[in-house]
Structures are given as C-alpha cells and as structure tokens.
Amino acid sequence: MERYYQKEIECASPEEIRKIQDEKLVRQVRHVWDNVEYYRKKMEKKGLTPDDIRSRDDLHKLPFLSKADLRDCYPYGLLGVPLEKCVRIHSTSGTTGKRVVAFYTQHDLDLWSDCTARAIVAAGGTKGSVVHVAYGYGLFTGGAGLNDGSHKVGCLTVPISSGNTDRQIMFIKDLQATILCCTPSYAAYISEQMKEMGLGPDDIPLKAGIFGAEAWSEEMRHDIESTLGIKAYDIYGLTELSGPGVSFECSEQKGMHINEDHFIAEIIDPDTEEVLPDGEEGELVFTALDKEAFPLLRYRTRDICSLNRTKCSCGRTLIRMEKPKGRTDDMLIIRGVNVFPSQIETVLLNNGYSSNYQIIVGRVNNTDTLEVRVEMTPDMFTDNLGEIEGRQANLVDGLKSMLGIKAKVTLVAPKSITRSEGKAVRVIDNRKI
Ligand code: DLL
C-alpha cells in the first residue's frame, strides 16, 4: 500500500496546486523585489515590477538566473534576509571557479526536511525504520538533507556519512538498517564490497535505497536492485534550491514527483530560452516558491530532462520529471556528435559489465578521440587475448549503434578503476588541458 508523508499536498488536485503556486509566486516575487537588489535590477531591465506577476501564467515574463549570476553574487549578493536570520549554509563541490554558497533560515530547513521526508516515506520509511545515511555530511547537501527528513519521519537515523565501506556494511547488518541513502555509484561499491566479504542480498536487512546526486541509468538501477536485494528509488535536487528532495520517486519508479508546492518546474530550449511544452526534452528551470534566505526565481539547472503531467498510479498528483540524462555541461561533443556518459553506461551494463568505467576524450591531429575503459567482471576476467579482443569488438559495435560514432574500448582488470564514495568522476576530457 502506498504511503504518503503529506497526503493533502502529494495528492492535491491540479487546481489546488495551481492555487498554491499562484499565491506563493506572487508573494515570492514581492519578497525578492524588496530584498534582492541584484534580481530587482534584472526585473527593472525587463521593465517589470511585482505587479506584472499575478499568477503562474506570468512566470515566463521573469528573467532567468544562471550559475554565472550566482558566481557574480558570491557570497552574499542574493541573500533575501538579513544574515542574522540565516542558520546554515551548504555549498556545491564546484570544480571550476567559485563555489556556490546557499543560505537557509530555520524555516527553509524545515520545508526542505518535509521534502526529503516525503521521499523517505515513499520509499517505505516509517517511524521506527533504521535509515542509514551514507551521503557525505558537511557542505554537501546529501547527508544533512536525508538526515533531517529521516528525523521528521521519526526514523532511527544513522549519520554515518561516506567512506570506510566495511564499517558501513557492519552497521547496516548490526543495526538492521532497512533504507540506505547514498549515491548510486557508492551503492554499487557497497554491493561489490559485500560480495568480497562473502555476503549476498539475503545477508543484509536492507529493503530500499534512496539514490541520487548524479545521473544513473535504468540498467544501473537493475544492477543495484539485484545485488543488494532492494528497491532503488531515485531522488533529485541541487544545492541552489536546497538540496535533495526537489523531486523524488514513488514505488512506480517512473519519473520523480516534483514537490510542486515548493517549486515550479519549466523546461526550456537551452539555446533559445523558449519554454517547451510538457513531454519535450530540454533544460530544467526551477522557481523556488517559499525559500526565504536564497530565493531563486527561474534558475537554470543545466539538467536535461522532460516533464510528465499524466496521472501516476501511486496516487500522487505532483507532476513528474524524467530521470535527468545529464547536464548540458556533461554532454560531450565528439566529432560533432552529442554524447551523454549515461548512454555509454547503458551499453556497458546491457553487455554484462559493471558501472566501473571511465570515458577518456582527447584530440589527435585536430580530431576528437573517445576511449571507453571498462573493467572486466571477475567472472569474465581472462588473459586469453583473443577472448578479450572479441569482447572489445562487441562493445565497439554496441557503442557505435548507440552513439553513431566509433569509440576505442579497453578492457581492464577488475578493481583497477578507482571507486567512488560520493559522486563518481567518470569523464576525463584531456581536450581542455
Ligand atoms: O547533488 C543534491 C543531492 C544530494 C541530490 C543527494 C540527490 C541526493 P549538488 O551537489 O548541488 O546537489 O548537485 C546537483 O547533481 O543539478 C544534477 O546535475 C545532479 N543530480 C542530482 N540528483 C540527480 C539525480 C546534489 N537523481 C546536481 N539524477 C544536479 C541525475 C542528479 N542527476
């Protein structure tokens, strides 16, 4: 039986959701206009005042915010409240340029934990469940976000953070954890390590996992579900909008329900910025409706996916977003062809390989090169060169039909690719160096 954390919202009619969004949007635009000079100037540039935004239908008039805006405003330029009302910050891992720092009031934290509580309940969490939170704690939002949602539901929360995988497995067993929260790549690592310790799915009490923070394919989901003996739920979010829980999956596992009472989602064409109809793929844009400290309107996430407004059989009416394919900035352009790492992952897993792979892009004589390095599983490991070459050729064909371009495939020994305890880094693009 499907359970809900806040049924009145999760199963509200589209009219009720619309009413909530209309009211909150008008209020939020006024809040931003009054308190965030940077955005007020952007609105003025477009000849807008808060009176121009009377409902959700006027959303398209508002200017976008991008990561570049956030960097311009670092650290305090987008604050919507006096600093003394803020009680927490989180920050993105930002490998290039300045990190994004997001601020939270107590009210913001409270609403955020409602969002993650909805995800935990949708994954089967109840008062008394033991929830093992192996997302990183600290500036990253994963640990704190799931931790606080788990508290709200009344679960026994194990704030173990990431790392020390043997100890993770021991705690899962000893404390009888039923829900595991971590990145999908770390879940895959935990299952691999379990196997090494001679443990199978029947030896651990887990029933569900709440996995997100990085793009992962359906094939990877099936792999994790069978090796850990659990149901794997996707969860999405980003620091700029609070963290995990912007959307979450239900037992149907057909897209993630967006917490529409807190966020309005739009899909735009990333080049023309035109709003696209439901079902079309494009860049996801979010407007946060009730965040006080870091109130972003029309924030361009750079994540590529589509929206689905059809009714879900779980009973929730919140619209769904498809699994993000990746970010516009993750997309590789190789010899003029768009390639998402997730497409490569699909081919590898469909051919019996694990998610331990690396994509190496280079440039030789002005031509892009693509190499996919993937580990053989212990079962396929061999030193028979003919066999290895046959396997490599198979993968070259599979990748060619998925991507339309030829890649070099190198099979490497099991365990030779570094494992990830957080977000996996799978692409090495040597062209940028
Ligand atoms: O990754 C928040 C989070 C923590 C989400 C734990 C889920 C679980 P950031 O570090 O700011 O925040 O990275 C946000 O990660 O724009 C997406 O590109 C990617 N991402 C997050 N969740 C998913 C997902 C956290 N379920 C960026 N599928 C986002 C695909 C995801 N990509």
Side-chain angles (χ1 to χ4, degrees), residues 67 91-93 135 140-143 146 182-184 210-216 234-240 242-245 247 256 301-303 321 323-327 329-330 423:
K67 201 147 201 152
S91 171
T92 58
S93 49
Y135 284 112
F140 179 53
T141 54
L146 269 307
C182 62
T183 59
I210 303 179
F211 305 133
E214 60 187 0
W216 54 308
D234 203 351
I235 184 166
Y236 168 89
L238 53 160
T239 315
E240 297 89 317
S242 59
S247 65
M256 290 177 273
T301 63
R302 300 199 273 192
D303 290 320
M321 54 183 266
K323 233 177 187 335
K325 222 171 154 178
R327 301 172 71 114
D329 38 359
D330 283 343
K423 296 185 192 235

Side-chain angles (χ1 to χ4, degrees), residues 184 188 215-227 232 234 323 341-355 357 402 426:
W216 54 308
S217 59
E218 278 304 323
E219 291 73 19
M220 187 157 174
R221 187 208 303 265
H222 298 147
D223 229 38
I224 294 173
E225 287 190 330
S226 63
T227 53
D234 203 351
K323 233 177 187 335
S342 54
Q343 295 174 296
I344 295 179
E345 182 174 297
T346 296
V347 174
L348 299 178
L349 271 76
N350 274 338
N351 280 280
Y353 295 86
S354 70
S355 52
Y357 65 93
M402 170 66 94
R426 294 202 172 97

Side-chain angles (χ1 to χ4, degrees), residues 27-40 65 73 75-88 101-105 107-108 240 288 290-297:
R27 198 178 62 203
Q28 187 72 337
V29 170
R30 173 63 66 185
H31 167 60
V32 171
W33 172 273
D34 288 345
N35 296 294
V36 185
E37 189 192 354
Y38 184 86
Y39 198 79
R40 182 168 65 240
L65 274 173
C73 294
Y76 293 130
L78 288 169
L79 257 190
V81 294
L83 203 53
E84 59 267 26
K85 272 200 80 184
C86 297
V87 296
R88 173 95 68 81
V101 177
F103 299 83
Y104 305 71
T105 62
H107 170 261
D108 295 334
E240 297 89 317
D290 35 26
K291 284 177 62 203
E292 297 175 333
F294 204 58
L296 302 190
L297 304 177

Side-chain angles (χ1 to χ4, degrees), residues 379-399:
D379 300 345
M380 43 172 99
F381 189 50
T382 170
D383 52 8
N384 179 331
L385 266 185
E387 203 176 305
I388 293 178
E389 277 167 12
R391 283 190 168 278
Q392 287 179 165
N394 255 345
L395 280 182
V396 170
D397 289 346
L399 289 168

